[in-house]
Amino acid sequence: MSVRASAKAAVLPLLLGACQYQHYQSDFGGAAVEDRQFLTLFWIFIAVCAFMYVLVIAFLIAGIARARRVDANIVETGRHHHSNPLMRSTLIGWTALIGVGLAGLAIASFFTDRSMARAATNQKLSVTVTGNQWWWDIEYNAADASKTLRTANELHLPVGVPTRIFLNSNDVIHSFWVPSLAGKQDLIPGRKNDITVLPTRVGVFRGPCAEFCGLQHAHMSLVVVVEPYADFIKWWDHQLQPAPQPTTPLALAGYKYVTTGPCSTCHAIGGTPANGQVGPDLTHLASRKSLAAGTMPMGEGNLYGWVEDPQSLKPGVNMPTIGLEPGQLHAVVAYLETLK
Amino acid sequence: MTDIRADAFDSMPARERERARVEEENRRLARERKKIARDGPKLTGEKLAARLDLAWRRPPGIVGWLATVDHKEIGRRYILTALGFLVLGGIMALFMRLQLARPDNAMIGAERYNQLFSMHGSTMMFLFAVPVMEGVAVYIIPLMLGTRSTAFPRLNAFSYYMYLFGGLLLWIAFVLNMAPDVGWFEYTPLSGPQYSPGKHTDIWAQMVTYTEVAALAAAVVLVCTILKARAPGMTLARMPLFAWAMLVEGIMIIFAMPAVALVTTVLLIPDRLVGTQFFNAGEGGDALLFQHMFWFFGHPEVYIIFLPATGFVSVIVETFCRRPVFAHSVVVLALISTGILSFGLWVHHMFATGLPRVGYSFFTAASISVSVPTGLQIFCWLATMWDGRPRFEVPMLYVVGFIFTFVIGGLTGVILAAVPLDLQLHDTYFVVAHLHYVLIGGAVFPLLGIFTYWFPKITGRMMNERLGKIGFWLVFFGFHATFLPMHWSGMLGMPRRVYTYPAGLGLEVPNLISTVGAFVLAFGVVLFVANGLLSLYRGAIAGPNPWGAASLEWATSSPPPVYNFEHMPVVDSDTPLWDTDGELPVVSGLRVDQKEMLLTTVVAATPDVREPVPQASLWPFVSACAVGLVFAASIFSAWAVPFGLIPCGIALIAWFWPKDMKRHPEPIIS
Amino acid sequence: MSSRFRASCILLLAAAALTVSACNREEHHSRAKPIGENIPAGASPPTIFPGGGSPPPLDARAALYDNNANAIGKGQQLFIQMNCVGCHSHGGGGMGPPLIDDQWRYGGRIDQIATTIAVGRPNGMPAWRGKLTADQIWDLAAYVRSLSGLPSKDAVSSRSEGMSAGTPQTLTPHGEIYNSDSAQQ
């Protein structure tokens, strides 16, 4: 294969690869107004910067190409204190060009920034996200107190509705970042931050924590589901329901263990005696798409592994390895799977 | 026995008495002057060299080795120690890249990986980047300025020992499984007492203070040397651009370093050791205070690393294009304005923290405008190449590599300066790519070039040209293979400081390419070091000026004698060796039986004072041990501070005890 | 033995001692042995034994937790999360006895404190076995000991985040253990 053909062959999978993944967790997602504004400004910057770079490299190559000529202003010809007068005017032109280019970029950045700040005044939905070491505590705020919803690690947003997300932290600094939707904002203990997102495309997105927060920073991700407004309301109403009563004997045994054993010390399940506030809310655990804050997809096998030994999947996490007997494990997982 | 003259003296009228007394004084001085030997037409050549060597060389043995105040010896130690830390930090990076080569890799666990990247960052930033620049400057600046020693040579020695002890503290802690694992900048409250139990964070915090004290001391030495110890006739306008870069860098260090020493030793360690509340929001503190103070240091820090590299590029461009750098005064002004502007940028590291947006716009504008002076410097170097006749030996290759690489880094910096863009790109691999482009492209490439360039001066042998060229291409392509894909993986959503990433996000290919590139880059660096070692024993012998360069360090032998120059050179242009065909004018009159250097005025460099230079002394080493022990002990107990003041006080008093109380009135050299 | 040999021996021993001591303080025991064992009621070391005699030997697990900075840090977080402050405040006591003094009704050794937490005690101390794992209970015990200044100061964290609650643990005077029961004097 010729060099050019093999280069093309290498580039194409990269580009296609990017295209495939740009929906999920990438700046190219363009799934919200904020990310689209980012992309527009980014391409403007890239265009101007690329132009400047090409100029610099052209100048460099020209300088190299002239290396062999005879009439240089160098010490060997004794003219090393003279300079080409063209250089002086080029210097002034160069300065002017840099100045104008950078000023233009700064102004473009300022206007984009202002329009992003303006969007924050327009919110219709309000959510509070609290960062903990290595999971996300999510509370949907509502004027009616009976409609406030507490969930964990998965955020649902209605498409086309500006949402204001308030950001707190219970321990160290985390950062809320869903690349396909918007830029990031830190969750700082003792500070009230917020971010506004206006999603424009339906889909499922992933948002990794973007500020180093300790041992398992790599495994602290938020799953964001953007859906049509009607589906969102249906989801909210469903999440407000308490956990269903277990029907099978295995699930009943699991229910008994979960509500009286160590699980209820830290976790809460709506409609049951389990009311721990330390760990994520589990009321509708099985309806979520991921487990352990985006560490692995929700599924029976992963649930088994996580409940039995969280320390081997996410070493250092605050959930202890209890060491359940096999019978207890089957019962617990059977019960957790009913929490849809 | 009565003195007949005394009787005669008493009987003279008052004015006669006065005149007689003055004549007696003059005769006494003339006798004294005959006893003091000074260099000059009567004492020159072999005899002069022997006398100077006797006066300037240090005592033999281990005591003399520890007590040296010779700037060349200290500079060599700085460079070798920094290169050792470069290799250690690089090994950390290679392990990190191995872990990240595949998604969901289980080669290195979370705890160990966090230690690896914390050690990599801390080693590279605190133990390699600034000290190696200081080391090169400490070696070369007195030679380049035409003087025999730096100002404050014992402070210079103290600075090296503090740096060495700080580095040892960190790396011994790593071996003892006490390595810091919360990053190279350790934000609170993660680094606070509740979320970072144990002593590893305190070790990082104190290591920073060791290196800060060392850098501060070296900066004071360099600034005073550059301002007061130049050769006669070397006005500020004729001073080489490297000296200008070190002057600005030294002043920046003096203003920037105290901030980080404060935030680590005075704020963070008391929070962890005695329960102060500086960073505790629940008691009125603020976690962001740490970030503000750290980045007030942290942003100038990267320019502290970069400015000496611009000095290196100016030196190499001048010699290899056979002409002085175009628009010398523009470059000087660019250096000064970069230095000043860099203090107004620090909040661009905090764009995601939720500070008021209008304030952010100010920092965007400042961050974008700081690239203007650097852009002008690049123009001047390119114009020098255009106007001159560039020769592409290894140092010049590194300068070309620098232009290709650093300009990309600078432009991604402009991208990151815009708040809306930074909010997506902050704390992703895009920033990792940017910072390595500007630090490796902007500082390490010129550094490798300048090692090749000044290797003959330091060791007396040339580095192998062919190995050097192969090394350059390996380093260049390895670097781009490693860090170019990181722009991509950052934009595909890969955050920083993650020990693994999930499959299915498109991150596999960029990370694998980065890992392969990292090993190519490492191989190139190994080749460079091997070239250095090989050339040390087998390289071609170099004369005093193998490159045909213009500045004063090439006017003495390679390696220079311990006293640098036999006679003090005098300059009347900015390219002294090019404008005086063979015969450099000198000034004579310095003492040869004692260590003495010539101080000149700050701007016009007219000869001012003959300054005695301190003898070799163990007290800098002892003081560094005392201070170092206090810092290390205060990690474990607050009582170390008051009790530690006693040995520190004793060591410092012994150091500064006045050596000579007699007055020696001598006329000023005209 | 030549003096240089002796000097290097001493240096090596010092380095080894430093290594060993440092290792334990900074160790992470996220998978500490035993994995997930809830302390059954009968197996706890007796803390009250009438008629003199000697206290039982120290549990083997004590070495893993007693001066371990990470265990004390985890215990500090658990102390607040499990609402121990509800009865003991931050060691000053309230409904429950103070934890910052020298009086230990049921023993101040780490295994005795762990037992107290696991099996509960009369007059209101709940039993946490079955609610917390052994690892968590031992972490809490390590932290409780730090409230009265018993572990070495370099393993202890000075304060917690949030509102301040008394003397920082690194400045607490070194404690002793005095038992109320005269049978154990």
Side-chain angles (χ1 to χ4, degrees):
Chain A
M1 230 200 281
S2 78
V3 171
R4 211 185 308 167
S6 49
K8 257 196 253 186
V11 160
L12 221 44
L14 271 170
L15 283 179
L16 277 180
C19 286
Q20 264 178 294
Y21 301 120
Q22 70 181 3
H23 300 285
Y24 199 50
Q25 177 182 321
S26 116
D27 294 347
F28 299 108
V33 163
E34 287 79 12
D35 193 44
R36 288 220 297 270
Q37 283 172 328
F38 159 80
L39 283 171
T40 314
L41 189 64
F42 182 73
W43 292 125
I44 294 175
F45 266 71
I46 288 281
V48 174
C49 292
F51 174 66
M52 294 300 307
Y53 187 64
V54 164
L55 277 184
V56 169
I57 298 302
F59 195 1
L60 173 67
I61 293 178
I64 296 175
R66 275 162 60 95
R68 296 191 197 282
R69 75 193 195 296
V70 177
D71 62 331
N73 287 328
I74 57 177
V75 63
E76 279 83 8
T77 62
R79 296 210 307 271
H80 53 284
H81 287 296
H82 297 266
S83 300
N84 191 327
L86 179 63
M87 283 295 115
R88 197 167 300 269
S89 24
T90 316
L91 175 63
I92 297 173
W94 180 271
T95 315
L97 183 67
I98 299 180
V100 164
L102 291 179
L105 290 181
I107 292 171
S109 159
F110 179 75
F111 278 118
T112 310
D113 201 26
R114 289 283 96 201
S115 91
M116 280 181 174
R118 255 194 301 274
T121 57
N122 214 10
Q123 103 265 12
K124 298 265 178 41
L125 174 65
S126 152
V127 182
T128 303
V129 171
T130 305
N132 292 283
Q133 270 181 322
W134 314 304
W135 60 281
W136 305 91
D137 193 356
I138 298 170
E139 207 171 288
Y140 283 79
N141 308 319
D144 181 357
S146 67
K147 295 259 197 268
T148 57
L149 169 64
R150 184 170 180 244
T151 178
N153 295 329
E154 188 166 291
L155 188 66
H156 282 242
L157 296 176
V159 69
V161 174
T163 305
R164 189 135 173 233
I165 303 174
F166 292 94
L167 304 168
N168 300 324
S169 168
N170 263 346
D171 39 33
V172 298
I173 300 183
H174 302 272
S175 194
F176 176 91
W177 181 44
V178 189
S180 303
L181 295 183
K184 59 184 63 73
Q185 196 69 209
D186 284 352
L187 286 70
I188 302 176
R191 271 189 92 83
K192 288 187 180 344
N193 281 346
D194 64 276
I195 184 173
T196 306
V197 180
L198 174 50
T200 53
R201 187 158 58 82
V202 163
V204 177
F205 307 102
R206 191 170 180 271
C209 171
E211 182 62 58
F212 182 66
C213 50
L215 215 50
Q216 286 298 332
H217 164 69
H219 285 142
M220 180 174 169
S221 302
L222 194 59
V223 173
V224 179
V225 177
V226 177
E227 50 198 358
Y229 187 74
D231 290 344
F232 171 72
I233 294 295
K234 223 182 335 169
W235 173 83
W236 189 325
D237 287 332
H238 175 74
Q239 295 282 315
L240 284 173
Q241 305 305 316
Q245 282 296 323
T247 46
T248 68
L250 195 59
L252 195 58
Y255 169 86
K256 286 217 183 68
Y257 185 84
V258 166
T259 51
T260 58
C263 313
S264 59
T265 314
C266 297
H267 291 288
I269 303 179
T272 71
N275 200 20
Q277 299 296 313
V278 178
D281 185 291
L282 299 181
T283 315
H284 294 278
L285 174 69
S287 72
R288 295 181 198 152
K289 296 189 167 24
S290 78
L291 199 51
T295 306
M296 51 204 146
M298 180 64 68
E300 191 175 352
N302 285 336
L303 213 46
Y304 267 98
W306 179 248
V307 169
E308 171 61 28
D309 195 0
Q311 295 293 325
S312 66
L313 293 169
K314 199 168 162 180
V317 74
N318 289 328
M319 176 161 158
T321 293
I322 302 174
L324 296 168
E325 301 291 311
Q328 290 171 317
L329 180 61
H330 284 299
V332 168
V333 174
Y335 174 61
L336 291 178
E337 288 193 301
T338 69
L339 297 175
K340 290 230 189 306
Chain B
M1 183 176 91
T2 54
D3 193 343
I4 304 166
R5 279 183 303 160
D7 289 342
F9 193 69
D10 287 332
S11 65
M12 279 195 252
R15 203 190 307 159
E16 298 279 339
R17 221 181 299 162
E18 198 46 47
R19 202 180 314 145
R21 191 175 20 236
V22 168
E23 278 171 32
E24 179 56 44
E25 189 63 26
N26 283 343
R27 275 195 289 271
R28 185 185 75 79
L29 279 176
R31 277 198 303 272
E32 282 290 310
R33 242 180 263 139
K34 278 214 196 73
K35 277 195 254 163
I36 298 168
R38 313 231 201 97
D39 64 339
K42 287 224 184 71
L43 183 59
T44 183
E46 284 286 329
K47 279 212 298 214
L48 174 63
R51 290 275 202 96
L52 281 172
D53 189 71
L54 196 62
W56 281 84
R57 65 163 190 247
R58 63 160 167 81
I62 185 104
V63 171
W65 193 85
L66 287 173
T68 186
V69 291
D70 177 15
H71 72 96
K72 297 182 290 299
E73 226 175 326
I74 295 172
R76 275 199 307 268
R77 287 181 198 174
Y78 249 111
I79 294 172
L80 286 174
T81 312
L83 284 179
F85 284 126
L86 170 68
V87 168
L88 286 175
I91 293 175
M92 303 283 102
L94 288 177
F95 276 115
M96 285 160 60
R97 283 311 328 161
L98 280 176
Q99 163 65 12
L100 290 177
R102 286 198 333 261
D104 291 317
N105 204 357
M107 193 184 108
I108 297 177
E111 194 188 334
R112 184 65 69 196
Y113 186 89
N114 294 348
Q115 288 180 340
L116 285 176
F117 76 69
S118 307
M119 292 297 292
H120 169 75
S122 307
T123 302
M124 291 303 196
M125 291 299 283
F126 292 113
L127 300 178
F128 164 69
V130 174
V132 82
M133 303 299 179
E134 302 276 300
V136 172
V138 153
Y139 189 100
I140 280 290
I141 286 282
L143 290 166
M144 192 183 258
L145 299 180
T147 186
R148 288 226 166 98
S149 167
T150 58
F152 307 127
R154 288 173 299 183
L155 187 62
N156 207 2
F158 173 79
S159 127
Y160 171 72
Y161 291 123
M162 284 302 290
Y163 157 59
L164 178 67
F165 294 155
L168 284 177
L169 176 74
L170 184 69
W171 278 90
I172 290 178
F174 179 70
V175 165
L176 293 180
N177 200 31
M178 274 163 61
D181 62 353
V182 283
W184 87 275
F185 48 74
E186 302 214 340
Y187 282 166
T188 51
L190 182 59
S191 58
Q194 183 165 349
Y195 298 105
S196 245
K199 291 298 173 189
H200 45 102
T201 306
D202 305 83
I203 285 176
W204 173 87
Q206 287 296 47
M207 176 277 294
V208 168
T209 303
Y210 279 89
T211 52
E212 182 271 337
V213 167
L216 209 52
V220 165
V221 165
L222 285 171
V223 167
C224 294
T225 309
I226 293 172
L227 287 180
K228 284 297 289 182
R230 302 198 300 277
M234 188 187 281
T235 63
L236 281 181
R238 293 179 190 150
M239 192 166 77
L241 287 169
F242 177 59
W244 270 110
M246 292 314 298
L247 178 65
V248 175
E249 190 237 28
I251 297 176
M252 285 174 71
I253 288 182
I254 294 169
F255 280 103
M257 289 277 184
V260 77
L262 270 173
V263 79
T264 52
T265 298
V266 176
L267 299 185
L268 182 62
I269 287 192
D271 254 32
R272 295 175 55 84
L273 194 62
V274 295
T276 52
Q277 310 283 357
F278 293 113
F279 305 117
N280 182 4
E283 281 288 331
D286 189 0
L288 280 189
L289 175 67
F290 186 92
Q291 296 190 29
H292 277 293
M293 287 190 72
F294 186 87
W295 288 117
F296 182 77
F297 147 81
H299 192 80
E301 154 90 342
V302 303
Y303 287 96
I304 286 169
I305 297 170
F306 176 60
L307 284 187
T310 64
F312 296 157
V313 173
S314 297
V315 164
I316 295 175
V317 162
E318 176 181 276
T319 302
F320 287 86
C321 294
R322 316 304 298 152
R323 56 158 294 116
V325 174
F326 174 77
H328 185 275
S329 27
V330 169
V331 176
V332 168
L333 286 172
L335 287 170
I336 296 175
S337 45
T338 305
I340 296 176
L341 272 174
S342 68
F343 279 89
L345 308 184
W346 79 91
V347 176
H348 71 217
H349 299 271
M350 299 165 64
F351 279 156
T353 55
L355 297 171
R357 292 297 268 256
V358 175
Y360 282 161
S361 312
F362 169 77
F363 285 96
T364 295
S367 307
I368 288 186
S369 61
V370 82
S371 60
V372 174
T374 312
L376 288 179
Q377 278 193 290
I378 293 187
F379 179 90
C380 292
W381 293 321
L382 293 177
T384 314
M385 286 177 66
W386 173 278
D387 234 354
R389 187 181 298 161
R391 272 183 4 221
F392 292 99
E393 280 145 316
V394 172
M396 195 61 187
L397 282 182
Y398 276 109
V399 164
V400 172
F402 156 83
I403 303 264
F404 265 100
T405 313
F406 173 76
V407 177
I408 295 180
L411 292 170
T412 53
V414 167
I415 292 177
L416 288 168
V419 175
L421 300 180
D422 186 73
L423 287 179
Q424 277 282 26
L425 301 170
H426 169 64
D427 242 320
T428 65
Y429 264 76
F430 191 92
V431 176
V432 176
H434 160 72
L435 76 92
H436 285 93
Y437 264 78
V438 288
L439 283 175
I440 299 187
V444 175
F445 280 16
L447 185 72
L448 295 177
I450 215 68
F451 277 157
T452 312
Y453 179 72
W454 274 328
F455 191 87
K457 178 55 57 183
I458 300 179
T459 62
R461 292 180 182 265
M462 304 289 289
M463 284 181 86
N464 184 301
E465 184 75 10
R466 173 123 56 105
L467 267 183
K469 287 206 165 102
I470 298 176
F472 165 74
W473 289 114
L474 280 174
V475 163
F476 183 78
F477 282 116
F479 169 82
H480 283 279
T482 310
F483 293 103
L484 198 56
M486 288 188 187
H487 295 103
W488 194 240
S489 52
M491 297 203 67
L492 286 186
M494 183 169 178
R496 284 175 81 169
R497 306 191 183 101
V498 289
Y499 73 100
T500 187
Y501 53 92
L505 290 177
L507 300 173
E508 298 88 330
V509 172
N511 274 291
L512 190 58
I513 299 176
S514 289
T515 302
V516 172
F519 278 89
V520 174
L521 174 60
F523 187 49
V525 172
V526 164
L527 208 65
F528 184 90
V529 172
N531 188 1
L533 286 172
L534 214 70
S535 309
L536 208 55
Y537 299 106
R538 299 265 182 95
I541 305 279
N545 195 356
W547 307 111
S551 44
L552 282 179
E553 75 268 22
W554 302 103
T556 183
S557 65
S558 307
V562 70
Y563 46 85
N564 290 357
F565 298 93
E566 276 185 17
H567 302 278
M568 298 284 89
V570 171
V571 304
D572 60 359
S573 92
D574 58 350
T575 49
L577 292 190
W578 284 347
D579 294 336
T580 58
D581 317 295
E583 280 303 311
L584 195 60
V586 298
V587 71
S588 61
L590 285 184
R591 292 173 72 150
V592 302
D593 59 338
Q594 265 190 21
K595 294 167 75 169
E596 203 173 70
M597 66 191 279
L598 182 62
L599 297 188
T600 54
T601 57
V602 172
V603 176
T606 52
D608 194 13
V609 186
R610 292 201 330 260
E611 173 83 6
V613 175
Q615 298 294 331
S617 162
L618 260 187
W619 290 112
F621 174 72
V622 173
S623 303
C625 289
V627 174
L629 224 67
V630 169
F631 283 170
S634 63
I635 292 175
F636 298 97
S637 163
W639 285 114
V641 176
F643 285 128
L645 284 178
I646 300 169
C648 286
I650 295 173
L652 289 173
I653 289 173
W655 175 349
F656 290 113
W657 195 263
K659 299 287 184 300
D660 193 330
M661 302 292 273
K662 297 201 292 283
R663 286 190 307 129
H664 288 290
E666 295 206 52
I668 300 171
I669 305 173
S670 54
Chain C
M1 240 200 271
S2 78
S3 67
R4 202 183 287 184
F5 179 59
R6 209 179 316 152
S8 35
C9 274
I10 293 175
L11 229 69
L12 266 166
L13 277 170
L18 211 59
T19 311
V20 169
S21 64
C23 271
N24 181 47
R25 182 181 68 232
E26 306 278 341
E27 274 298 309
H28 273 284
H29 292 302
S30 58
R31 299 207 46 141
K33 336 180 250 295
I35 297 171
E37 172 196 310
N38 289 308
I39 303 177
S44 56
T47 53
I48 300 176
F49 34 90
S54 52
L58 190 58
D59 191 306
R61 288 171 284 183
L64 288 177
Y65 293 91
D66 204 356
N67 281 315
N68 185 297
N70 290 306
I72 295 176
K74 289 295 296 279
Q76 184 177 37
Q77 296 186 40
L78 282 168
F79 195 85
I80 298 172
Q81 286 170 342
M82 297 300 133
N83 201 30
C84 312
V85 296
C87 291
H88 292 285
S89 355
H90 288 275
M95 274 180 1
L99 302 173
I100 55 181
D101 60 3
D102 296 335
Q103 305 295 323
W104 296 92
R105 292 185 200 176
Y106 301 103
R109 274 177 11 190
I110 190 171
D111 54 349
Q112 293 169 332
I113 299 177
T115 306
T116 298
I117 298 172
V119 308
R121 295 296 183 200
N123 292 324
M125 176 67 193
W128 289 92
R129 80 167 165 264
K131 296 270 187 262
L132 292 176
T133 63
D135 183 46
Q136 291 175 311
I137 289 175
W138 281 82
D139 286 338
L140 273 167
Y143 175 68
V144 165
R145 269 173 62 86
S146 83
L147 287 174
S148 63
L150 291 166
S152 71
K153 288 284 178 276
D154 57 350
V156 166
S157 85
S158 64
R159 61 163 174 81
S160 56
E161 304 287 328
M163 281 170 47
S164 163
T167 324
Q169 271 97 57
T170 44
L171 298 181
T172 322
H174 187 75
E176 298 290 324
I177 299 177
Y178 294 112
N179 296 314
S180 304
D181 187 351
S182 56
Q184 296 179 26
Q185 300 293 341

